[in-house]
Amino acid sequence: MTRDELERELAARRAELRGYCYRMLGSAFDAEDAVQDTMVRAWKSVEGFEGRSGVRSWLYRIATNVCLTTIETRGRRARPMDLSATAWEPVEASLVRTRGEDTWLEPMVDERVLPEAGDPAEIAVARESVRLAFVAALQHLPPRQRAVLILRDVLRWKADEVASLLDTTTASVNSALQRARATLAERPDVGRTEPLGESHQALLEQYVRAFEAYDIDAFVELLAADVTQNMPPFELWLEGADDIAAWMVGPGHQCRGSKLVPVTMNGSPAFVHYKPIGADGELVPFAVQALELADGRIARITSFLDTRLFDLFGFPTEPPA
């Protein structure tokens, strides 16, 4: 393979490699770093590529090794609900505990990891496999089981192909897949979220109107009875519409006057959240707000308060007029 041929192959595979690394690592930033590392390693070792496996398999082998090393050194990503069995009180004192940015599961915009065209069934599988609940569940798997499940159930690789990539046996791959599936089946929220359809558009429009007007009564009407809200990097998480309402009129009252701009992230509806500051109420980047829907209601609200995401995803620093 020539370096020009490799360059074209890397460009064609970048999005799918980013999606694979994101599912493995649960972090948009780590996924970008892993893809870059994969490309550097491929570039350095291209002269030793003998073509005994396909270029795609070769690149995935490199990416897998990069991801496994990253997981070994950094550990798994989590959501606040993974760190405590019970919800927190909706009071300002609950903001006292935070953790570093390398603790938390992070979102990913769809266009960076999902195919733009192709078989509708395959696109649907890809979209389901980047949902926050699914990516969070993947973090509970041992690293090699995680790789096996993604390669087999998401990317539809054959067992012998995965065995070759991981330098193991087909029987070992099948066993790892069975254990990984059993673990995911025990995660109650994996299959709860709904695909976004036309019927949900009215719900999302009502959500935006209620939030921007700070009409808490209308807002609560849109929430599921067991709705949760979390806001990394805070360990705080809330459960139930009443506690979320109490938070919004209490410690969260400074979000009054906010502006939400719709985007799609993790195969689900999301919003770029601009918050007013100062006497003039200037709107500034504040959070990326991801929603998960179930039974026609808002089941989970995650506000990622990491404004580095604005730069990473190319979101404007000011909301559109």
Side-chain angles (χ1 to χ4, degrees), residues 82 133-134 137 140 182-193 226 292 294 300:
D82 298 323
F134 184 79
H140 292 270
T183 299
L184 259 61
E186 296 173 356
R187 305 297 302 175
D189 56 348
V190 170
R192 188 184 179 198
T193 53
D226 58 349
E292 295 168 66
R300 180 168 291 158

Side-chain angles (χ1 to χ4, degrees), residues 88-96 211 214 216 219-220 229-231 234 236-256 275 286 303 305:
W88 294 52
E89 293 294 320
V91 295
E92 191 164 357
S94 293
L95 292 173
V96 69
F211 194 96
Y214 230 64
I216 303 305
F219 184 83
V220 166
Q229 181 178 13
N230 63 103
M231 295 170 285
F234 296 105
L236 156 78
W237 67 281
L238 306 172
E239 184 173 30
D242 290 342
D243 277 6
I244 291 176
W247 178 267
M248 291 183 68
V249 298
H253 73 279
Q254 291 181 353
C255 284
R256 187 185 300 273
K275 177 180 175 179
F286 176 63
S303 291
L305 306 183

